[in-house]
Amino acid sequence: MLLLALDTATPAVTVALHDGTDVIASSSQVDARRHGELLLPAVDRVLAEAGLKLDAVTGIVVGTGPGPYTGLRVGLMTADTFGLALGVPVHGVCTLDGLAYAADIEKGPFVVATDARRKEVYWATYADSRTRLTGPAVDRPADIAERVAGLPAVGAGALLYPDTFPRAHEPEHVSAAALASLAAERLAAGEELEEPRPMYLRRPDAQVPKNYKVVTPK
């Protein structure tokens, strides 16, 4: 097994290789505006670090979000392209699940929250690092304060709103290393992974204006 994992659902552009036993190479850069520029060089970098070629990959793992429309589709389209070119399966993993897996919290419940912008967070609750209880959902922090009161929390969204998540700590962003490790564990156990489809949870910012007048030649 050689899994190539990547995620662009948060400001982190993150890539990793997993050989079925351990992560053998990884790269993460935080830049919310350059996902498209940074992703492929990061793939080249981890392959070079591992001393491998792309055609050695036997499966692709991609974070499915939730996340902003533009950033999220960079990773998903790249994963689909690699899968088609190499003739290998593409597996989806919820980005919040990857953060939960990397969290140093042995017993739950706890919360994972990422920054959804617009003064909102993408969030989910977990019984432990491998078991999601609720979500993902998108809400204003104040609207869920009672539901998450007293729970430990991880992720950039939790760190951004300490009034709602007073027990917040790192990791701030997801790592492809965690996604790859979680996917490898699930595959080894014979579990089915998610389809590589985006979790947008809300409409994109760019929309066709209302009352748009179509002008066509007669």
Side-chain angles (χ1 to χ4, degrees), residues 6 24 26 30 40 56 80-81 93 106 114 117 132 144 147 154 175 195 199 203:
L6 51 95
I24 58 175
S26 63
V30 177
L40 292 181
D80 281 345
T81 300
V93 176
E106 293 192 8
T114 59
R117 305 174 187 172
R132 192 186 332 146
I144 60 171
R147 298 169 64 183
V154 298
S175 72
E195 291 292 317
M199 295 184 187
R203 297 178 65 84

Side-chain angles (χ1 to χ4, degrees), residues 82-205:
F82 281 154
L84 287 171
L86 298 171
V88 300
V90 181
H91 307 288
V93 176
C94 173
T95 298
L96 301 185
D97 289 358
L99 267 163
Y101 187 82
D104 187 20
I105 303 175
E106 293 192 8
K107 279 188 71 175
F110 66 95
V111 187
V112 174
T114 59
D115 183 14
R117 305 174 187 172
R118 306 183 193 174
K119 298 181 180 179
E120 294 178 330
V121 292
Y122 297 118
W123 67 286
T125 60
Y126 291 80
D128 54 52
S129 61
R130 294 167 176 80
T131 309
R132 192 186 332 146
L133 292 173
T134 64
V138 59
D139 288 288
R140 289 182 175 270
D143 294 340
I144 60 171
E146 290 187 9
R147 298 169 64 183
V148 301
L151 297 181
V154 298
L159 293 166
L160 193 59
Y161 298 100
D163 289 346
T164 298
F165 306 101
R167 300 178 61 189
H169 57 84
E170 295 185 341
E172 183 175 2
H173 301 301
V174 71
S175 72
L179 284 178
S181 297
L182 178 57
E185 184 178 294
R186 288 175 173 172
L187 289 170
E191 296 180 27
E192 290 285 334
L193 272 68
E194 301 169 16
E195 291 292 317
R197 298 292 176 261
M199 295 184 187
Y200 290 131
L201 300 191
R202 67 186 183 199
R203 297 178 65 84
D205 291 331

